[in-house]
Structures are given as structure tokens and as C-alpha cells.
Amino acid sequence: MADFLSVAATILILVITIYYLWRLNVKTYRLPPGPKQNLIFGSLLDLIWSTLFKKEPAFLKLAKWSFQHGPICYLRFFRQRVIVVSDARIAQQLCIGQADKFSERPPGLLLSRVLKNKGIVFNDGPSWKAHRNFLTHEFRKYGFGKLSMEQRIQYVIDDYLNQIGKMKGKVHDPHSNIAIAVYNIIWTVISGDKFNWGDPFLQKLITNLETNLHAVELTGPHNYVTLLTLCHLIWHNFFRLWSITSTRLYYFKQLISKFKKQQEETTDSEAEESIILDYLVKLENSRKRDDVPADFSETQLLWLVSDLFIAGGETTVTTIRWILLCLALYPQIQERVRQEIVETFGRDSTPTYAQRTQLPYTEAFINEVLRLGGVTPGMWRNTSQDATYEDYDIPKDTWILLHFWAMSNDANQWDDARTFKPERFLNDQGKFLKNENLLAFSTGRRECPGQGLAQTELFLFTVGILQKFKVALPDGQNNIDINSGQFGITYTPPPHLLEFTPV
Ligand code: HEM
């Protein structure tokens, strides 16, 4: 009896699988090249084998496939069609040239399922559009490059530099101080308020935000097949993930309540303009007029704030960690950047972001860190309609991986791709030269709306640190391999300690 049942179950599974595959291939498409696919699983078993048994990160495996088969590489993971794009120009042709078709997130992705109709990053449709427009308008209104916003950022960077000064050259892991400064900057930018250094609430929030980041890995096998998604959730303890997210939202709720209370106690003329205040005023005014924009609500404000902390925090913290590590690993480059800064602005005056054009080597250095660090290794889009690229078809509901790390590491686009060379961003006259192959902040309608803020932070941090400190690895720890970063939701530098000596 047991034998009969298992034979019947096997036949049933086979019939269902063949039916699905048949439906998938009813229409024959001219698909881009890719590795040979298994009839049923496509490349899923290869991916499982590499990630689970060979411990190769999925991002790296996908990059290898794409280097082997071309910058637009087709794969299938069981039923899910995937295209990996590892060329910045192709990404731009698709995401700008055919923006209507390439601006959604994949609806089946775990994070899209959980965050549907919430915030911005994994949201879609009218709710995404309304919040994205609001944010873009706000960032333009307060303008990075405008002094008031830069001053807010600079106050936090000054706190950071004071803190480093107090450590008197003690060797330490730079991560936690950078995180305190970066998350505080996000809060000051969106609320006009600022935490004191070492505020226990900020510390609690950061611990929460940095817990379990590996559970939201974006490209591993569990992303494509519901059964594997369930296994992944069980493995990472679904209840724990849920409790971390609820606690996070509770913290943001507390922050916004505190913000509202402060506003009530402030007279109109004293009130500091801010993104949160603008959201609440817009909501209030539109409620009175009875024309609330798509999905604007206090709950959505929570998700928006949460998204800004998540999208703007880990990315910027990781980039600054790479900046410090690269300064320490390449002392001659560090001296050259410092010399340029000190000769142009001295040790005490702070240049504005707009004055970066006077510091071309510093700009080249930061761009080389963004390239080699490849902080956001990739991001998903979904085709909302059938599309084409040159002679290839890209069917509706194909997941498109914009593989930023592969774009920055393609030997066909970059000389000595894995060597740290800021000069590649300078022209013959020593002026900074933008390189179209670098897409650190993505492209098209979903490109990073926080790019201006992030670039301002990276610039002010680099200048501030080099005006005051020499950054070095402790004696005997200079053998860190710059190519041994770890892939997760961001590409993080290998663990390291640093010492900061006043100059
Ligand atoms: C060095 C720092 C940063 C890097 C490298 C970075 C990079 C990126 C990338 C690659 C994307 C994906 C875009 C796509 O889907 O194609 C993105 C999205 C996003 N980023 Fe950033 N980002 C950084 C900092 C920030 C900051 C400071 C903020 C705001 C506080 C921010 C807010 C966002 C948001 C809200 C999205 C989602 C946009 C959407 O889906 O419409 N990012 N970022």
C-alpha cells in the first residue's frame, strides 16, 4: 500500500510539473543566452549545489554565469524566469528606455510579499508612486547641496570626530561608531532633531536594524520556489523575524509620537521644517479637503521612516567602512587625498559638498570605493509587460537582476578590475571623470532617491576624518584581502580593526 501511494504521489508531482513547464513554454521566445537548463528545474539545482554545499554566495554564482554567457544572461529557477544584467549601458537602456516595463519589483519575492503596499523599497503601484514622488519632492526641497541640510549632517559628523578623538588612538572595530553617526544623520535629515551620542534608544534601534540581515538575502534559491521560501522562514525562525520587525515598528512609532509631542509644544515660528512634519501636514490638509493621496496614512509614515532607515543606513555604513579600510590599506593614497584636502581647505574649515569639484582626487577615491566596494551588489526588477532587447524577447513577469557588483567587476569594462586605482576616475588634466559603467545608485524610475544625501555624507566623512586623523590597521594586520568582502543584502568588508592617530 505504501509503495502504491509513493508511486502515485511521484506520478502526480511529475504530471503537475510537466503541465507547468508546458504552460511556461507554450509561447516560444527568443531568450538571451545562458547556461544549459535542466528540463524541470532549470538552473535551480546548480544554484542549490553552489550555495548550500560549496558555500558560494548566490550573487557570485550569478555574476559568474553572466561573465560566462554575456551581459544579459537568461536563467530559469524551476518556473521562475530570471535575467541577470551585468552591463550598465544595457541596464540604462532597459530601465530608462523602457521604464514602463522595467520599474516594478518581483511580486513573488519574499520581501515584496511581506512589504506589498508598504513604504517604498518593495512597494509598487499607486502607493509606491505617491510615496516616491513625495520623497523625491522633499529631498529636492531641502536639497542636498543646500547649506541648512549639510549643517545638520556636519553637526553629527563633528560628534563622530570628537568621539574618535576621545579614543586616543585605541585600536577598535570602527563599525559601531559609524553606525551611530549614519543612523543619527538619517534621523536629523528627516526630523530636524538629533540624538545625543550614546543615546540608549538609538543604540537599541541600531541593534534591531542590524539583526538578522542575512535572513533577507535576495538571490539565494529560497527566493524562487514557495516551498523553499517556507523552509527558509522556518530555518531563520519566522517568529523571531516577525518579532524583530514588530519591535522595529514599535520603536519608530515611539519616535514619531515623540516628534509629534515636540511639535505640539513648539510655536509655529519655532518649528523646524522637516520631512516628517511635511508628511503630517500634507495628510492633515488633504483629510480636510477629503482628497488624501494614494495610501497616505500614519501607518504608511511608519513604513516610510522604516524604509529610509533600512535603505539609507546599512548601505551608507558599509560604504564608510570600505572608505576607512581602503584608506588604511593604501597609506600612499591616503596621504595623497589628505594632501589635496589640506592644501585646498586647511585642517579646520569644512568644504561644502558643492566645493567637491576642487578636490578631484578625493572624488575619484570615493568613486573607486563605490566601484570596488560594490556596496549594493544587486537589486530586482520585474517586467510588467512583454519586452525586447535587441533581438531577444524578455517575457512579462521575468525577474531582472541588476547586478551592480558584476557591472563594477567586469574585466571587459575595467582594467585590472580588482585593483584599487582612484586614477581611473581622472582625465589627463587630473579632473574628475564620471564613468558610465559605475551604477552604484542604480538607474531609471527606481534609482536611489537618497543618492544626494549619501554622496554628501561620504564626502563630508572622508574630508572630516582626513583633516584630523591618520587611519591605519594595527601592526601585523596589514594582510587583509580587499577582495574578500562578504555578500549579503550589502557587500561588506572583511572584519578588521583600525586605529586613528591625530595628525
Ligand atoms: C552609499 C549609500 C547608498 C547606496 C549605494 C544606495 C544604493 C541604492 C540602490 C542600488 C537602490 C536600488 C534601486 C533599484 O531598485 O534599482 C537603492 C534604492 C533606494 N535607496 Fe539607496 N543607496 C544609498 C543610500 C541611501 C540613502 C541615504 C537613502 C535615504 C535615506 C536611500 C534610500 C533609498 C530608497 C528609499 C530606495 C528605494 C527606491 C524605490 O524603490 O523606488 N538610499 N539605493
Side-chain angles (χ1 to χ4, degrees), residues 95 105 120-123 128 132 135 139 186 189-190 304 307-309 311-313 315-317 319 370 375-376 378-381 402 404 439-443 445-451 453-455 457-458:
C95 299
R105 298 277 181 233
I120 293 189
V121 186
F122 286 95
N123 198 356
W128 165 75
R132 167 100 200 185
L135 191 65
F139 277 170
I186 297 179
V189 163
I190 61 178
L304 181 65
D307 266 9
L308 292 175
F309 270 83
T315 44
T316 314
V317 171
T319 312
L370 282 168
V375 174
T376 314
M379 196 45 157
W380 286 111
R381 305 286 182 86
L402 301 179
F404 305 118
L439 270 196
F441 295 94
S442 190
T443 186
R445 285 185 195 161
R446 289 204 92 124
E447 78 178 338
C448 176
Q451 174 167 356
L453 167 58
Q455 298 267 30
E457 286 181 73
L458 302 182

Side-chain angles (χ1 to χ4, degrees), residues 16 41 75 204 262 288 338 373 386 405 412 460 469:
I16 293 172
F41 296 104
L75 298 150
K204 266 192 325 193
Q262 279 169 353
K288 281 185 201 149
R338 182 178 0 262
D386 280 347
W405 185 88
N412 295 318
L460 295 179
F469 300 100

Side-chain angles (χ1 to χ4, degrees), residues 105-122:
R105 298 277 181 233
L109 196 68
L110 175 60
L111 283 174
S112 311
R113 289 188 210 190
V114 176
L115 297 172
K116 193 173 155 54
N117 293 326
K118 297 182 183 88
I120 293 189
V121 186
F122 286 95

Side-chain angles (χ1 to χ4, degrees), residues 315-386:
T315 44
T316 314
V317 171
T318 307
T319 312
I320 295 173
R321 290 179 65 206
W322 275 113
I323 286 180
L324 294 177
L325 180 60
C326 291
L327 287 172
L329 276 172
Y330 307 106
Q332 283 169 347
I333 294 179
Q334 177 177 167
E335 268 325 302
R336 192 169 157 191
V337 184
R338 182 178 0 262
Q339 198 182 355
E340 183 183 68
I341 295 169
V342 174
E343 277 175 7
T344 318
F345 293 100
R347 288 195 192 281
D348 296 314
S349 84
T350 310
T352 61
Y353 180 58
Q355 288 174 308
R356 70 193 180 284
T357 48
Q358 295 177 45
L359 300 173
Y361 190 71
T362 309
E363 250 202 294
F365 167 78
I366 294 172
N367 274 267
E368 180 64 344
V369 172
L370 282 168
R371 183 194 72 82
L372 201 107
V375 174
T376 314
M379 196 45 157
W380 286 111
R381 305 286 182 86
N382 181 60
T383 42
S384 50
Q385 303 162 41
D386 280 347

Side-chain angles (χ1 to χ4, degrees), residues 18 87 116 188 202 294-295 331 357 448 486:
I18 290 168
D87 179 302
K116 193 173 155 54
T188 197
L202 180 62
D295 219 14
T357 48
C448 176
Q486 287 161 9

Side-chain angles (χ1 to χ4, degrees), residues 51-53 76 82 90 224 270 297 382 388 390 393 404 458 460 462 476:
T51 51
L52 261 56
F53 298 103
R76 180 168 57 76
V82 166
I90 300 178
Y224 316 101
E270 285 171 342
S297 66
N382 181 60
T388 54
E390 293 189 340
D393 293 321
F404 305 118
L458 302 182
L460 295 179
T462 308

Side-chain angles (χ1 to χ4, degrees), residues 156 176-177 179-187 194-209 251 255 309:
V156 180
S176 72
N177 283 330
I180 294 175
V182 166
Y183 287 103
N184 207 356
I185 287 175
I186 297 179
W187 181 238
K194 168 167 110 51
F195 288 101
N196 292 326
W197 195 269
D199 185 310
F201 186 86
L202 180 62
Q203 199 53 62
K204 266 192 325 193
L205 183 62
I206 294 175
T207 309
N208 176 295
L209 287 162
Y251 290 157
L255 268 185
F309 270 83

